[in-house]
Amino acid sequence: MEELKVLAPQSPNYILKPFVAKFKALADEKRLRIMYELCQRGKTCVCDLVEILETPQSSLSYHLKMLMDAGLIRRETQGTWSYYEINTEEVNALLSEQLCCIFRPPGSCC
Amino acid sequence: MEELKVLAPQSPNYILKPFVAKFKALADEKRLRIMYELCQRGKTCVCDLVEILETPQSSLSYHLKMLMDAGLIRRETQGTWSYYEINTEEVNALLSEQLCCIFRPPGSCC
DNA sequence: ACAATACATCCAAAAAAATCGATGAATCGT
DNA sequence: ACGATTCATCGATTTTTTTGGATGTATTGT
C-alpha cells in the first residue's frame, strides 16, 4: 500500500494553489468577456454566447469549462440548453468591490 | 467652450483589456508566491527571493518583470540591489478584502 | 421515425508562456 | 584597477495553452 504524500498544510504553495486556477481562468480576454456578458445578461446559453463573442462553439465550451473548473461560473441544464451564470459568492470573495460593475451581477454589491 | 468629450462607448474588450495583464500576472504559482513573500517581508531584493523560492535568478527576473508590467509591484534600486515591494493601491483595487492576509501587506487592511 | 439543434469532447496544429544557462552592464569592496 | 556581486536581458528549448473542425450524444419539433 503506497503512502499518501501531501504538501505541508502550512507551506505557502499549499495556501496559494487554489488561487492559481482562479486567476488563470480570469487571465484571458475571451473568458473575461464571457464573465462580463454573464454579468450583464444573467443566465445565458452557449448558443447566445457564440453569437455575441463571434467564436466557434467548441472554443466557447472550452473556455466555459475553464471558468467552471475554477468555480467562477455555474451551469444549469434545461433540456438541450446549457445556461451559464456568474457564481457571485466566488467572485465576491475573489475580486475587489471596485470591479463589481464589471464582474459582478448588478445589484449583488454597491 | 467645447465640452470635454468622453470617449465614445467602447467595446467591452476595450474595458477588459487592462485586467487581462493583471490576472495573467497572478495566474502563476511562482508569481503568487513572490506576491506572498513580498507581503510578508516588505521590500525584498532579488537575491533573497532566489534563495526563498529556490529558483534561478533569470527566472525570478522574468517573473518580477511580469508583475511590474502589470503594475502589481514596484521596484526601488539602491546601488547594485533591486528591492521589490507590493503596489498596495493596485492590489487593493483588484482583489477582495478576504485576500488581504495573503496578498496585501499586513496593516494595509483588516 | 427523422431531421435539426445544442453542446461537450476529441484531436492535431498553432500560438503563447516558461525555463535556464550565457552575456553584459553597473556597482561594490579591497 | 581588479575581482566579485547584483541583476536585467537574450536566445534556444521545452512546456502549456488555445484554436477550430470533426464526432457523438441528448433533446426538440414535425
Side-chain angles (χ1 to χ4, degrees):
Chain A
M1 186 175 239
E2 53 185 302
E3 213 172 322
L4 190 62
K5 219 173 201 170
V6 184
L7 264 180
Q10 73 279 8
S11 128
N13 285 340
Y14 185 90
I15 299 169
L16 300 173
K17 207 134 196 171
F19 295 105
V20 177
K22 292 179 198 299
F23 290 129
K24 265 201 166 84
L26 294 172
D28 178 274
E29 190 162 1
K30 218 159 260 179
R31 291 194 292 268
L32 240 40
R33 181 71 194 283
I34 292 173
M35 293 291 285
Y36 175 83
E37 295 297 336
L38 292 186
C39 283
Q40 300 296 312
R41 328 172 108 254
K43 281 182 191 169
T44 309
C45 64
V46 181
C47 55
D48 285 346
L49 290 173
V50 166
E51 293 194 358
I52 297 165
L53 300 208
E54 294 173 306
T55 301
Q57 176 263 318
S58 64
S59 173
L60 252 307
S61 277
Y62 166 75
H63 289 298
L64 287 166
K65 181 166 165 40
M66 296 257 103
L67 291 168
M68 276 285 285
D69 290 350
L72 297 173
I73 62 176
R74 264 194 288 254
R75 174 171 53 204
E76 188 183 308
T77 303
Q78 278 176 25
T80 327
W81 283 265
S82 283
Y83 291 93
Y84 286 90
E85 66 181 327
I86 293 290
N87 184 344
T88 308
E89 295 72 35
E90 273 299 319
V91 173
N92 284 1
L94 193 66
L95 302 183
S96 77
E97 291 190 14
Q98 295 177 49
L99 295 189
C100 69
C101 301
I102 300 177
F103 298 118
R104 295 181 186 181
S108 85
C109 61
C110 334
Chain B
M1 178 144 179
E2 202 173 344
E3 203 176 332
L4 187 63
K5 204 154 193 193
V6 178
L7 281 176
Q10 297 291 350
S11 84
N13 285 340
Y14 184 89
I15 299 168
L16 300 173
K17 207 136 195 171
F19 295 105
V20 177
K22 291 180 199 299
F23 290 129
K24 266 202 166 84
L26 293 173
D28 179 275
E29 191 161 359
K30 218 161 259 179
R31 290 194 292 268
L32 241 39
R33 181 72 194 282
I34 292 172
M35 293 292 284
Y36 176 83
E37 294 298 336
L38 293 186
C39 284
Q40 300 296 311
R41 328 172 108 252
K43 282 182 191 166
T44 309
C45 65
V46 181
C47 54
D48 284 347
L49 291 172
V50 166
E51 293 194 358
I52 297 166
L53 300 206
E54 294 174 307
T55 301
Q57 176 263 318
S58 64
S59 172
L60 254 304
S61 276
Y62 167 74
H63 289 299
L64 287 166
K65 181 166 165 42
M66 297 255 102
L67 291 168
M68 276 284 286
D69 291 348
L72 297 173
I73 61 176
R74 265 194 286 254
R75 175 171 53 204
E76 187 183 308
T77 303
Q78 279 175 25
T80 327
W81 283 265
S82 283
Y83 290 93
Y84 286 91
E85 66 181 329
I86 294 290
N87 184 344
T88 308
E89 296 71 35
E90 274 298 319
V91 173
N92 284 0
L94 192 67
L95 302 183
S96 77
E97 291 190 13
Q98 296 177 49
L99 295 189
C100 69
C101 302
I102 300 177
F103 298 118
R104 296 182 186 179
S108 84
C109 61
C110 341

